[in-house]
Amino acid sequence: MRTADGGEPAGASPPAGGVDGGLPMGSERMEMRKRQVPAAPDAPGAAPGQPGVGSRGSNACCFCWCCCCSCSCLTVRNQEDQRPTIASHELRADLPTWEESPAPTLEEVNAWAQSFDKLMVTPAGRNAFREFLRTEFSEENMLFWMACEELKKEANKNIIEEKARIIYEDYISILSPKEVSLDSRVREVINRNMVEPSQHIFDDAQLQIYTLMHRDSYPRFMNSTVYKDLLQSLSEKPIEA
């Protein structure tokens, strides 16, 4: 029914097929979305059924838009990134942090008071001295000295270079929390020689730290409870027949 002016009567519903008699509104919106999303083109020369660049198949390469693919080049790159880290970790573990040694005798502990050299020549003496250095927050001096001793034993050029880099990063770099105290001359020599390091690259620095421990820390160690308690415990120990 039409009104007198030819329009539709009030309250009349539009045709069921939409405004223009086509698809329903929901289907029309779905069709428009499909038209707006282009299909990913296959790579040139790809065989039928083989995934293209935009797909996430097993042959996908570095152009993948996500990291969930088993990309061969990414696998190789990750392995290459992990190799130096693993090697550095293993070499770092080889550097001594604590030395196994039998319990010192009373004669050995008495000898430590005679000279700093006699203290440093035995593993038990170095362990006791290092325990004292830890109380003074200067344990890095002993750790650096021990790492230099370990470096001198190496003969393989590649291992020498890697261990020298680790020692530099741990004890020479100004960014390290365990940096040891060295003068500018020794530090400059090390920086120049790090281009091609040898097992003796830190000899001057090691001697400087050895002298520092001798003059500064050793006298306090002899008066410390660490040394006196150890000496007393051995003095009171009954002598075995």
Side-chain angles (χ1 to χ4, degrees), residues 221-241:
F221 168 73
M222 298 310 302
N223 293 318
S224 68
T225 57
V226 173
Y227 177 74
K228 291 180 178 180
D229 290 349
L230 178 60
L231 185 63
Q232 183 178 357
S233 65
L234 292 174
S235 300
E236 296 174 351
K237 185 177 181 181
I239 301 177
E240 297 180 358

Side-chain angles (χ1 to χ4, degrees), residues 63-98:
F63 300 103
C64 306
W65 57 272
C66 70
C67 300
C68 59
C69 61
S70 57
C71 180
S72 60
C73 63
L74 289 178
T75 303
V76 173
R77 185 175 299 173
N78 289 336
Q79 290 175 352
E80 290 176 352
D81 292 342
Q82 291 175 1
R83 284 171 188 167
T85 304
I86 295 174
S88 298
H89 176 73
E90 293 174 352
L91 291 176
R92 195 181 297 273
D94 290 340
L95 296 177
T97 56
W98 189 261

